[in-house]
Every structure is written in C-alpha cells, then in structure tokens.
Amino acid sequence: MTEKAHDGGILTEGDAWRSRDLAVLWHPCTQMREHPDVLPLLTIARGEGAWLVDHDGKRTLDAISSWWTNLHGHAEPRIAEAIARQARTLEHVLLAGVSHAPAVELAERLLAIAPRQQGREPLTRVFYADNGSSGVEVALKMAFHWFRNRGDEPRRTKFVALENGYHGETIGALSVGDIPLYRRTYAPLLMDCLFAPSPDAYAARDGQSAAGRAEDAADDLARLFDAHPGEICALILEPLVQCAGGMRMYDPAYLRRARELCDVHGAFLIADEIAVGFGRTGTMFAVEQAGVMPDLLCLSKGLTGGFLPLAAVLATQAIFDGFLDASRERAFLHSHSYTGNPLACAAALASLDIFASDGVLERNAITATTMARLAAPIAGVRHVADVRQTGTIVAFELARDGNRATPFAPGQRIGLRTYRAALDRGVLLRPLGDIVYWMPPYCIDEGQLALLAAATAAAIEEATQ
Ligand SMILES: Cc1ncc(COP(=O)(O)O)c(C=O)c1O
C-alpha cells in the first residue's frame, strides 16, 4: 500500500507504520529523540529464517538473532506449530498449587542436559521465571535466602560479580552488572556488590596469553574472597563471553578457578547462561568447556528458540532442601504471574527437539569454521583492532588505526555509523559501542554468511572513513 506524502514523495506502508509507532511507542534501550533521523526505525512485517522482512518487502539479515534470542530462525514452523497446538489446549494456568505437562516435561529435559561435574551432586530442580532479568533475581534471592534459612552465618549477604559483566535491568540484576551506561543513573538504588576484575582476554598484557590473563584475574578473585571471609553468598558470572560488555571472551581456566574458590569459601556459583546457553559457544552450555557445573544455572533468551519470554533457574538438591521447613517464610515465595507459561514451555520443548533432530551442535561447528574463515580477512580492515570468536559468536573491536590504545572518541559514534552503513547493505548489525559482532540464528547458511562478511567489512570501512 502506498500513498502520496505532503511533499509529493511516495509514502510507503513502512512509513505509515513508522509514523504510527513514533506517535505511541517508547522503545527499549533507545534515546527516543534519535528516532528516526539519527537512528532509523525498521518496521518488520514478518520473519523468515535468518531474514527479517519489512512492510515494504525489504529483507534484512538478522546477524544478532534479535538480541541473542533466536536460535533456529524466525517463524520456525515446528516451534510455531507447537505453540499453536498448545494454545488450543491450555494457554496458561498459574503454577502455584497447579501443574501442567509442558512445565514438567521441560524441567525433566533441561535437567537431563544440564552441565555435570564429576564428584558433584547434579542440578535437580527447575524454578521458572519469565525473562532473563527475573531469572537472575531468582538466583540471587535463592542464594541469599538459603544462607538466611541456615541461620548460622548472618554476615553472608554479599554478591561478587565481574567487572564488565551484565545480568539485566531490574534493580537486583543491575546491581551485579558493571556497565556504566546502564548502571550509573540508578547507582543510589543498587545493592552494594563486590566486583572482581574481568578475565577478558582482550585486556591481556602484551604477550600474555588468554590463559595467563584468566589466571591473573582468578588470583584477583582469590584476594577478594580472602578479604571478605564469611561474607559472600554467591559469585555470579557470564561463562566464557561477557556479551553486553562487548563480547569480551575469556579462557575456561577462569571458570575452574572460580568454581574452586566458591567451594573453598563456601559460596554458591551462579552461571548466567542467559545469552551463551543453548549452543552459542559451541557446547550446549558454556561451563561444559571448563568441566564445571554451577550451583545455580540461569537460562532464558534461546530457551524458547527465541519465540516467547521464559526463564529457568536450575538448582542443586542441597539448595532446594534448604527451603523445606514448617515455616512459610522459609519457602521461596518468589512468583511471577506467567511463571512456567505452557505456551513458552511448549516452544522450549520444540526447540530442544530441533537440537536433536537437526544435529544443531554438529552443524554449528561447521558454521563456526565458516565464520572464522570469513572473519579472518576483516582483521586486515583499517581500524579493526581485534577479531575474536567463541563458537558462533564473532566480534570485531574497532579502534583508531587498529590500535587498542587509541579508541575512537565516543562522540564519533563509530558503532552507530557502522550500524547504519550495514543496514544500507541489508544487514542488521546492532553494535555494542565500537564493537561489531555476529551472533546469527543457527540456520544461517554459507551464502548469507558471505553477505554478512562483505557487508561488515564495507560498513566498517564506510563508518571509519
Ligand atoms: C547474560 C545476560 N543476563 C541477563 C540478561 C537479561 O535478560 P532479559 O533481557 O531477558 O531481562 C541478559 C540480556 O541481555 C544477558 O545477556
């Protein structure tokens, strides 16, 4: 549908939706004043595999899986059908005092694939929430409450998190996050947490290996634990990749040391795999690469294949048992209305079926190799300071003349310029500051990856001219 604009130009259907949107919506993570002149507003009519199709039929490759949610492609028919079937049967019911098959089956299947560690009791319980931040709140509150219930260590009230980490936007999750842009304004509202240096390999000293950097950071973590004996109830971290912090990647050795330190100091380890879980790093869960398991595992985003909001927090039996008591106050009374929503659970079950039927992890290993091959030449593009990869996540760090000591001035908005230049080439590459990255749906094919690589190189060149 098209019509004439006041200036005589053609108003497209997309233009009409844009203007209706900008009259009523307040978009997330957006300075609304920048719409639409500085920041274009895409209006998406439908999704198809790795493609997003706008109201005027223009196709854009979703290189970031719509904030890392989508796994098997947009509008994946098997997941769509599972949701439709479930919707015709039972759309929702409260989960307190009530059970339903999708919640039970999903819990059983998540526990069956959960990370394990020799000599440790496995994860045996699943608590549902309805988005990533809520899942993090659940894990933090569970860890804290467990020690309250035990009652013999009243000083165990502190959380340790990693510098440059991100765990969501609600007040508790923001408190254990360390990204100034999101946190600074709300600092007076936040809990007082302890932050340990990030094991980020990009921050390694000249000549230092990623493993060396991880060991240094683990030594810092050890000192932090030593300085707060009996005060720390849990360490929370994003295993292997600090995603919102700029796809900063680190060596699995850090996770092994973190696990040991938590054990020595009697603290819980919370693995936030909301972004990296479900195969992004090459294994189903990132902690598997270190051979460790956490006491609490937070999952969301890809859990439903990217179709519906749902979070699951997996806990050990020891944590669960710590809440069994005659007193209601000792129970974990946390709840959300849509906890364990049947439609979301049905989507998650369908997504897990696809992992098995399509050999997703095996196919991803091939995709990761293709990504590495296509990313390698981009290291030679002027102003690219680093190209790094874990599984099917690839990041390009931009700095003046490729020198990490001379970042671009924030006012230059190199990331935003790259984003716009990539959109002009049919690719959605929403950067993190001056870091451009690929985290595509797993269904992306070689031709689409080649388009992505060409568009990335050209967009960086154009943006940094
Ligand atoms: C590691 C991690 N934890 C938690 C969250 C918060 O999830 P949500 O946006 O669903 O609240 C995110 C979101 O990006 C994340 O990357």
Side-chain angles (χ1 to χ4, degrees):
M1 184 196 83
T2 55
E3 58 187 72
K4 282 258 186 223
H6 293 306
D7 62 4
I10 297 294
L11 257 189
T12 66
E13 195 174 330
D15 292 331
W17 280 112
R18 246 181 304 281
S19 94
R20 283 173 66 178
D21 174 300
L22 292 173
V24 292
L25 284 195
W26 190 340
H27 287 267
C29 206
T30 300
Q31 171 49 267
M32 287 301 291
R33 226 174 75 157
E34 297 190 339
H35 273 321
D37 300 332
V38 180
L39 193 61
L41 181 64
L42 310 186
T43 64
I44 299 305
R46 62 191 176 86
E48 198 184 292
W51 294 106
L52 297 168
V53 186
D54 78 6
H55 284 94
D56 303 317
K58 181 172 185 275
R59 295 160 81 81
T60 301
L61 195 66
D62 184 356
I64 59 157
S65 297
S66 285
W67 268 344
W68 326 331
T69 55
N70 190 281
L71 295 190
H72 312 293
H74 290 282
E76 210 294 330
R78 290 166 288 182
I79 301 180
E81 179 50 36
I83 295 171
R85 216 179 310 120
Q86 184 60 44
R88 288 190 291 267
T89 315
L90 173 68
E91 81 304 336
H92 186 65
V93 63
L94 76 168
L95 204 62
V98 180
S99 181
H100 56 79
V104 176
E105 280 177 20
L106 180 59
E108 288 170 350
R109 288 184 59 184
L110 289 176
L111 293 171
I113 59 167
R116 285 166 194 273
Q117 184 176 349
Q118 236 190 351
R120 296 189 86 85
E121 292 299 319
L123 298 164
T124 57
R125 292 283 163 174
V126 176
F127 189 98
Y128 291 116
D130 47 20
N131 62 75
S133 302
S134 305
V136 168
E137 300 285 345
V138 165
L140 296 175
K141 285 177 68 181
M142 267 183 188
F144 171 87
H145 195 161
W146 189 88
F147 283 107
R148 288 269 127 169
N149 280 354
R150 213 174 61 170
D152 56 347
E153 288 190 287
R155 288 171 55 247
R156 250 191 220 276
T157 57
K158 285 200 161 24
F159 294 104
V160 178
L162 300 191
E163 289 173 2
N164 193 48
Y166 179 83
H167 301 284
E169 296 295 332
T170 51
I171 298 294
L174 206 52
S175 299
V176 288
D178 181 46
I179 299 190
L181 179 64
Y182 305 137
R183 163 183 179 103
R184 216 166 18 219
T185 309
Y186 304 102
L189 299 180
L190 303 182
M191 334 183 248
D192 195 15
C193 295
L194 301 166
F195 286 93
S198 167
D200 170 17
Y202 186 67
R205 293 188 307 272
D206 263 356
Q208 190 184 34
S209 68
R213 171 71 206 136
E215 291 298 340
D216 278 2
D219 290 344
D220 289 327
L221 180 64
R223 281 188 281 274
L224 190 66
F225 268 111
D226 285 340
H228 296 274
E231 292 176 28
I232 295 166
C233 58
L235 162 67
I236 182 166
L237 46 73
E238 296 160 89
L240 295 190
V241 188
Q242 294 187 305
C243 293
M247 299 298 162
R248 293 295 177 87
M249 300 173 183
Y250 62 88
D251 193 278
Y254 185 81
L255 295 172
R256 285 190 284 275
R257 291 278 309 277
R259 177 67 273 180
E260 284 163 20
L261 287 166
C262 285
D263 288 343
V264 168
H265 293 273
F268 291 127
L269 176 62
I270 304 174
D272 176 352
E273 296 226 10
I274 287 165
V276 296
F278 297 103
R280 291 282 183 205
T281 66
T283 42
M284 196 62 166
F285 301 106
V287 289
E288 290 170 34
Q289 294 184 38
V292 300
M293 62 166 269
D295 303 289
L296 292 160
L297 174 67
C298 301
L299 304 173
S300 187
K301 289 196 188 272
L303 173 57
T304 61
F307 271 65
L308 286 165
L310 178 69
V313 178
L314 277 57
T316 60
Q317 190 65 27
I319 292 180
F320 178 77
D321 288 344
F323 290 81
L324 300 178
D325 196 271
S327 147
R328 279 200 79 209
E329 234 172 76
R330 282 165 175 259
F332 193 60
L333 298 183
H334 188 105
S335 64
H336 297 288
S337 312
Y338 280 98
T339 286
N341 172 257
L343 303 179
C345 291
L349 286 165
S351 172
L352 291 179
D353 285 344
I354 292 174
F355 270 99
S357 64
D358 293 12
V360 169
L361 292 183
E362 294 74 16
R363 200 182 56 208
N364 281 2
I366 299 167
T367 303
T369 308
T370 307
M371 289 171 85
R373 176 169 51 75
L374 291 167
I378 301 177
V381 172
R382 195 173 162 210
H383 304 301
V384 174
D386 189 39
V387 179
R388 48 182 179 262
Q389 177 172 12
T390 301
T392 52
I393 308 172
V394 177
F396 307 91
E397 183 107 17
L398 309 183
R400 196 181 305 281
D401 293 321
N403 179 352
R404 55 186 73 191
T406 55
F408 286 106
Q412 287 183 272
R413 306 195 71 179
I414 294 297
L416 174 69
R417 284 159 63 174
T418 310
Y419 173 68
R420 293 185 60 138
L423 274 184
D424 289 344
R425 292 165 173 81
V427 171
L428 179 67
L429 261 188
R430 192 181 159 98
L432 297 157
D434 289 347
I435 296 142
V436 176
Y437 66 92
W438 302 340
M439 206 202 274
Y442 299 155
C443 63
I444 195 161
D445 65 27
E446 193 162 346
Q448 291 164 340
L449 282 170
L451 164 74
L452 173 58
T456 303
I460 293 171
E461 273 165 2
E462 184 183 316
T464 54
Q465 260 169 25

